[in-house]
Amino acid sequence: MSKSASFKKFAPVMISFYIMGFVDLVGVATGYVQKDFQLSDSVAQLLPSMVFIWFALISLPTGIFQDRKGKKLTVSIGIFMTGVGLLIPFILYTYPAVVLGFCLLGIGNTILQVSANPLLIDISTKQTQSANLSFSQFIKASAALLSPIFIAILVRTFGDWKLIFPIYAVISIVIAVWLLSIKIEEKQSTKPPATFSSVLKLFKEKMVIVLVLGIFLIVGFDVGMNSNIALFLTSRFALDLETAGFGISVYFASLMVGRFSGGILLRYISERTFMIVSLVMTFIGLAGIILSPVLEITWAMVFLAGLGFSNIFPLLFSIAIDRMPDYANEVSGLIILAVSGGAVIPPVMGYVNQNFGETAPILVLIGCMVYVSYATLYILGKGKQETA
C-alpha cells in the first residue's frame, strides 16, 4: 500500500477519535447552560447524564449492528449523529433543545466508542495496532484539552461560547462524508451475524468475563483518580481546592504524555513487556501517593501513576480483539458497556473515604489495579479463541 493510500484511510479514522473527544465539551457547556437558563445544580447535572446513559443502553445494539452492516458505516453514522447533536442547541437554544442535542451527542459518541477502535485495528497491521490505538487515545484526549481553550477564545473574540457548536458540527459532517467516500477492506468473520443471544453466549468464555470486569475497573480507576485526587491532596496537605486541583492537571498531563509516547514505543516494544512496565509504574505511583510526606513528590507520584496507567485500556482492547478476532464487534460492544465502571467506583471511593479516612480511596484504586493486572496477564497468556 502506498503512503498516500494509507494516509487516505488513516486520516479520517484517526480524526474520528478527535470527534469522539467532542463529548467532553458537555463538561464545559454545563456551566454556561446553567447560567443562561438559571438552572439549579441538580437540574444542571442532568446534562452530563444525558450523554453517558447511552453507554449502558446502546453499546450492545451498536456492536450487533456493525457486525451486520460494517464498521465504516457505523463509524460514519456515529460521526454524523455527533454533528446533528451539536447543531441542534445552536439552531434552537432552549433547555429542551440542549437536552435533545446532548442526547444525540451521547448516542453518537457511544456508537463511535464501539466502532472506531475495531475499524482502526482493521486498517492496522498486527505489529502496529496497539501503537495506533494508544495514539488514537492521545488524539481523543487532545480534544478534551483543547475544547475549553477554543471556547475561551470564542467568548473573548465574538462574545458567544455557542459558536463552538457549528464549528464542531461542520468538522463532524465533513469527516463523515470523507470516511464514507473511501474504500476500506474490513476484516470479515466466517461466523453467522451477531445477535443478542450470541453476545450473551460469549459470557460462557472465562476470558470475556475477565476482560469485561477488567475494563469496568480500568474506567472506574480513571474516573476515580480524576474525581478524588484533589480531595486527597486537600485532606493530606491542607491545601485550598484551587491548589489541590493542580493534581488533576498533573494526572491529565501524564495521560497525554503517556499515550503519545505509547503510540511511538509500542512500535518497538512487545505488548507484554510494555504492559508489565506500565502496571509496575502504576503501582509505584499509587504507593508513592500514599507514602509521600511531601506535596511535590506526591504530584510526581500522581504523574507516574497516570503515565503507567495511560496505555492500559488501549493495550487490553487490542490484545482482547487479537484473541477473539471473529467476535471483534461483539467484544467491542461489551467493552464499551463496561465503561459504566466510571459511575460505580467513585461512589465506592467516597464511601470508604468517609468511613475509613483519606488513604482508603487510594487503596480502592490499588485494588482495581490488582485485578486489572490479573486480567491482563490472563488474557496475554491466552491464544486465539474459537467460540461456538
Side-chain angles (χ1 to χ4, degrees), residues 36-317:
D36 291 342
F37 296 106
Q38 298 181 332
L39 305 176
S40 66
D41 289 340
S42 58
V43 173
Q45 289 306 310
L46 288 174
L47 290 174
S49 300
M50 294 301 100
V51 171
F52 294 105
I53 190 175
W54 302 104
F55 287 116
L57 297 179
I58 67 169
S59 292
L60 293 185
T62 299
I64 293 170
F65 175 86
Q66 76 175 12
D67 192 60
R68 293 169 175 267
K69 302 298 183 180
K71 305 178 190 76
K72 187 183 79 168
L73 176 62
T74 309
V75 171
S76 301
I77 291 172
I79 295 173
F80 185 78
M81 192 81 71
T82 298
V84 174
L86 289 164
L87 275 179
I88 288 176
F90 179 75
I91 295 172
L92 181 64
Y93 190 56
T94 64
Y95 182 66
V98 171
V99 171
L100 175 60
F102 284 7
C103 282
L104 291 176
L105 184 60
I107 293 170
N109 187 261
T110 303
I111 294 171
L112 276 174
Q113 294 267 13
V114 173
S115 56
N117 289 294
L119 181 62
L120 179 58
I121 288 175
D122 277 0
I123 62 174
S124 302
T125 64
K126 181 176 173 58
Q127 291 73 28
T128 62
Q129 66 184 34
S130 292
N132 288 338
L133 283 174
S134 291
F135 191 69
S136 72
Q137 293 301 306
F138 166 77
I139 292 175
K140 176 179 177 289
S142 68
L145 179 68
L146 293 174
S147 288
I149 298 173
F150 290 157
I151 288 177
I153 292 172
L154 290 171
V155 170
R156 290 171 185 168
T157 306
F158 302 102
D160 188 355
W161 72 274
K162 296 188 296 298
L163 290 173
I164 194 71
F165 289 137
I167 294 171
Y168 276 6
V170 169
I171 293 173
S172 300
I173 293 170
V174 167
I175 297 304
V177 173
W178 184 8
L179 185 59
L180 284 171
S181 70
I182 64 174
K183 182 179 180 180
I184 293 178
E185 294 183 8
E186 300 180 23
K187 295 175 182 176
Q188 300 297 319
S189 170
T190 57
K191 68 175 183 57
T195 64
F196 277 103
S197 176
S198 69
V199 173
L200 293 177
K201 285 181 180 179
L202 289 178
F203 282 105
K204 293 181 180 179
E205 295 287 333
K206 180 181 178 181
M207 187 172 76
V208 172
I209 298 173
V210 170
L211 169 68
V212 170
L213 183 54
I215 296 296
F216 183 91
L217 294 176
I218 285 172
V219 179
F221 177 98
D222 187 30
V223 179
M225 276 287 285
N226 179 26
S227 60
N228 281 270
I229 196 63
L231 298 177
F232 173 82
L233 294 172
T234 299
S235 178
R236 169 65 69 87
F237 297 103
L239 304 175
D240 59 71
L241 196 56
E242 288 73 22
T243 304
F246 180 68
I248 300 175
S249 299
V250 169
Y251 177 65
F252 275 115
S254 70
L255 297 183
M256 294 284 287
V257 171
R259 287 163 182 167
F260 180 80
S261 58
I264 298 172
L265 293 175
L266 279 164
R267 301 177 190 278
Y268 307 100
I269 301 175
S270 71
E271 291 174 338
R272 176 182 290 273
T273 300
F274 194 94
M275 184 66 97
I276 291 173
V277 171
S278 295
L279 291 168
V280 170
M281 288 172 61
T282 306
F283 280 116
I284 293 174
L286 292 172
I289 291 170
I290 293 175
L291 298 175
S292 170
V294 180
L295 176 61
E296 289 76 12
I297 295 177
T298 304
W299 278 336
M301 292 297 102
V302 169
F303 187 89
L304 182 64
L307 193 65
F309 173 78
S310 59
N311 290 291
I312 290 176
F313 174 84
L315 268 171
L316 199 57
F317 192 110

Side-chain angles (χ1 to χ4, degrees), residues 3-30:
K3 289 185 178 180
S4 60
S6 179
F7 175 81
K8 287 179 180 179
K9 290 183 179 181
F10 271 96
V13 175
M14 278 296 186
I15 296 174
S16 74
F17 285 90
Y18 188 84
I19 293 170
M20 195 187 295
F22 287 177
V23 74
D24 293 302
L25 173 67
V26 173
V28 183
T30 295

